[in-house]
Amino acid sequence: MKKIQSALISVFYKDGLENIVRTLAGLGVTIYSTGGTQQFIEKMGIKVVPVEELTTYPSILGGRVKTLHPSVFGGILGKRDDETHLKEMKQYHIPEIDLVIVDLYPFEETVASTTDEKAIIEKIDIGGPSMIRGAAKNHKDVAVVANKADYILLETILKDQKGETSLEQRRTFAIKAFDVCTAYDTAISNYFHHLSVTTPFNKEEKAMRYGENPHQKAVFFGNLSELFDQLNGKELSYNNLVDVDAAVQLIGEFKEITFAIIKHTNVCGVAQRAAVKDSWDAALAGDPESAFGGVLVCNGMIDKATANAINEIFFEVLIAPSFDEDALAILKSKKNRILLQLKAQPQNKEMHKSLLNGVLIQGVDEGNYTEWKETGGRETTAVEKKDLEFANLVCKHLKSNAIALVKNKQLVGKGCGQTSRIDSLRQAVEKAKQFSFDLQGAVMASDAFFPFNDCVKLGHEAGVTSFIQPGGSIRDNDSIEYCKQNNLAMVITGMRHFKH
């Protein structure tokens, strides 16, 4: 058992502290304190010794340095059964400190309440964790309480045991103290790791009406005005934002005039033509059924002719870099229709996905291919090469397993989200047939390798003459040999584009 004769108290949270202080005072314990805690105790009418009397230094650097001094840490860390320690403490007038009641600056609470990095950093406690760890280390002689949740337990011990603590009790308090420090350091580390990967969670937040479904809550972190000016329509929903992101990512791949239609993050129509109106007509023709209620995106100015054509269908969002006045007048005829003027492409370099009990972070999928390796029965023609490059980029933005069929820079069939690649191809061929496309001379892109030659066979039977895929299967040669035997072109890129 150890008798508590002196205590150092320095806490941020004062609630629950008064009974402890009165109990210690009643036991004749000398109380050392600093700052706001010292003022709190003095207002209670209880005698308290300012820490500055021990250190002979005032609180300096805006309060950053108060207790970091040998007179404080010597009193906490000094071994009571070590003659050398006791001699040095006497020599330097260092009092023994038997009880340390210290909590930590509210770092996590500050992170949760503000994005002001300066304010957050100021709430990184230095002296507090040091005193807590020192007392916990020396728990053979010193009791430490680092959480206000333990005030009632401490008060009970003080009253029942007349100011004495057992080694077992001090060890229990020490374990809790180390846990407090560990959690605190982890929170700080997590904050800085988030900053280093440019996580969005330190940006401004906007509560959504609801999430993917009405019973789900949702918040968006970020500043959309950096990317868009909203020219018309209702507030963007969670699902709108998800599709808008998919649309913007896709359109950012192309330099030539391109129009695309997005539905549930997948491309259901996309085409490149010399004029915006022609691009729209070709994109819509790819799958006019799925276009209903979609998100539209273009990298050219929306003119009156295009606006009139678009106005004939129902859609949620239209994104473009500019609109002429006549086009805006037409498109604004529906008050809820969302019109976004795209000012800049997102510059994110990482993607985040919450899963299990953590977060996955990866770099964005940049690029189209790392090599252009002609492996088929012949070289691709100039027209095929342009279509293959276009198809590969489109396929990159479809959910895996993904197949894109393209002819004359128009998506004429697509299959996505299937559990087998051959099923995605069957879906793509059926889509093309549904809207009366002739696949003779079309090209096929696959987001990942062909595990067997069945996809190449089925594609060939449908009219496809050229294929592009990343390669990497142990059976690549099966597909390559089929192309060679049937005078089909095949390009291996070396770059897979899974999208889950």
Side-chain angles (χ1 to χ4, degrees), residues 99-115:
L99 171 65
V100 172
I101 303 176
V102 172
D103 64 9
L104 303 174
Y105 292 163
F107 180 81
E108 289 181 278
E109 292 88 338
T110 305
V111 170
S113 65
T114 183
T115 57

Side-chain angles (χ1 to χ4, degrees), residues 297-354:
V297 63
C298 181
N299 57 4
M301 184 182 75
I302 305 299
D303 55 24
K304 182 179 179 179
T306 307
N308 275 322
I310 294 172
N311 203 44
E312 294 177 2
I313 74 163
F314 169 72
F315 63 90
E316 288 276 349
V317 184
L318 170 59
I319 309 161
S322 59
F323 301 77
D324 72 23
E325 291 184 12
D326 291 337
L328 275 180
I330 294 165
L331 294 168
K332 285 183 176 182
S333 61
K334 303 289 178 64
K335 66 177 182 179
N336 287 333
R337 180 181 282 164
I338 299 170
L339 304 177
L340 299 177
Q341 184 170 348
L342 181 63
K343 299 188 292 187
Q345 279 284 332
Q347 299 300 311
N348 299 335
K349 295 300 180 183
E350 292 92 16
M351 302 170 65
H352 306 82
K353 179 177 286 190
S354 175

